[in-house]
Amino acid sequence: MATSQFIPVGRTSLVKKSHLALQVQTEYAYRPYARITTTISTDGRVIHKVERKLDHAIDSAEEQANLQRYMAKQHDEVIAVLNETSLEATLGLVDSQPDRARARTLQEAFRDIPGIERVFRLDNDGNFVGEHTTREFKRAFAPVFKSLRELMDVFCLIPGSGGARERGVYEVEPGRLYFASSGKECFFIIADPLHSIESYEHAIREVLNQTSA
């Protein structure tokens, strides 16, 4: 059966501390990777998250029932911590958050895929971003580095776009090395071929699809 058929019911609670109202929500998601997340927010602004990554998406009714119990336990534990935390400490947590939370970068999102070992970022001209990254990649994947310019052209430059490339994912070495383009920048993504994830290419594409072109 499809994993989308086994979705545990989420939980939502309201914790009040003096004038402060905190919404606590625990939910399960299987894309781009399986996880349980408890989110604490106030006035629609997320101030903290507790996330547990899962080895794989739920694929049976038994796993769904077991995870439902774990979700309830995690949810209750977070509420207990909030109830025990002083108002001053809670206000400090709220005040420490910017009005608009920093968006997670694509590089961070790729790193969060289970089994991903390393992510190298490049600009659309093929220049590695970050100190020593060019040398590190060349040492690990010399033949790929030698043909970098040809590989970049897997995702062609779009005429009149100001340097943007086509978006997509390309498997360079089966189960091990992937090349991805967001349109604005490119990435080499190194995966563990022995990890149990069903498809790295699919997971990487899911991350790309969650970003705007």
Side-chain angles (χ1 to χ4, degrees):
M1 289 188 179
T3 55
S4 59
Q5 294 187 19
F6 301 104
I7 305 294
V9 179
R11 295 190 62 182
T12 301
S13 301
L14 187 65
V15 177
K16 291 188 176 181
K17 301 180 75 67
S18 184
H19 64 281
L20 188 65
L22 301 171
Q23 184 180 50
V24 182
Q25 183 173 10
T26 300
E27 54 190 351
Y28 162 81
Y30 63 94
R31 290 181 176 177
Y33 55 91
R35 63 197 185 280
I36 300 171
T37 306
T38 298
T39 303
I40 305 168
S41 60
T42 182
D43 293 329
R45 180 158 57 100
V46 174
I47 62 171
H48 191 64
K49 282 188 177 183
V50 177
E51 181 177 281
R52 178 201 176 194
K53 294 181 183 178
L54 305 176
D55 292 334
H56 60 273
I58 300 173
D59 56 12
S60 70
E62 181 180 1
E63 286 187 348
Q64 179 179 338
N66 289 336
L67 197 62
Q68 189 81 60
R69 288 190 289 270
Y70 183 88
M71 287 174 64
K73 181 174 181 289
Q74 177 170 304
H75 188 83
D76 291 342
E77 287 176 348
V78 171
I79 290 176
V81 170
L82 288 174
N83 285 329
E84 293 170 2
T85 303
S86 68
L87 176 61
E88 291 75 16
T90 306
L91 287 172
L93 179 64
V94 174
D95 293 340
S96 69
Q97 303 299 315
D99 290 337
R100 296 182 63 184
R102 179 181 65 85
R104 188 173 58 153
T105 67
L106 262 179
Q107 191 169 14
E108 291 169 336
F110 289 140
R111 285 173 182 160
D112 284 344
I113 298 174
I116 295 302
E117 297 178 350
R118 183 76 188 272
V119 179
F120 290 88
R121 179 172 161 233
L122 302 82
D123 64 24
N124 274 355
D125 293 324
N127 301 306
F128 283 78
V129 178
E131 189 177 4
H132 307 311
T133 55
T134 302
R135 184 169 65 251
E136 291 172 10
F137 185 85
K138 183 178 180 180
R139 184 168 57 242
F141 299 97
V144 176
F145 184 84
K146 187 175 181 179
S147 59
L148 178 60
R149 298 302 170 185
E150 292 83 357
L151 186 56
M152 293 289 294
D153 288 337
V154 167
F155 303 110
C156 298
L157 290 168
I158 302 173
S161 66
R165 290 185 180 272
E166 297 174 337
R167 292 162 57 89
V169 182
Y170 176 73
E171 188 177 48
V172 182
E173 294 184 6
R176 179 57 176 165
L177 180 64
Y178 296 84
F179 180 59
S181 168
S182 70
K184 299 177 181 178
E185 56 188 347
C186 298
F187 303 87
F188 278 113
I189 303 167
I190 304 173
D192 177 4
L194 300 180
H195 199 275
S196 59
I197 190 169
E198 183 176 347
S199 171
Y200 282 116
E201 184 174 348
H202 176 75
I204 294 168
R205 198 177 302 279
E206 285 287 339
V207 171
L208 281 176
N209 289 341
Q210 291 180 6
T211 65
S212 59

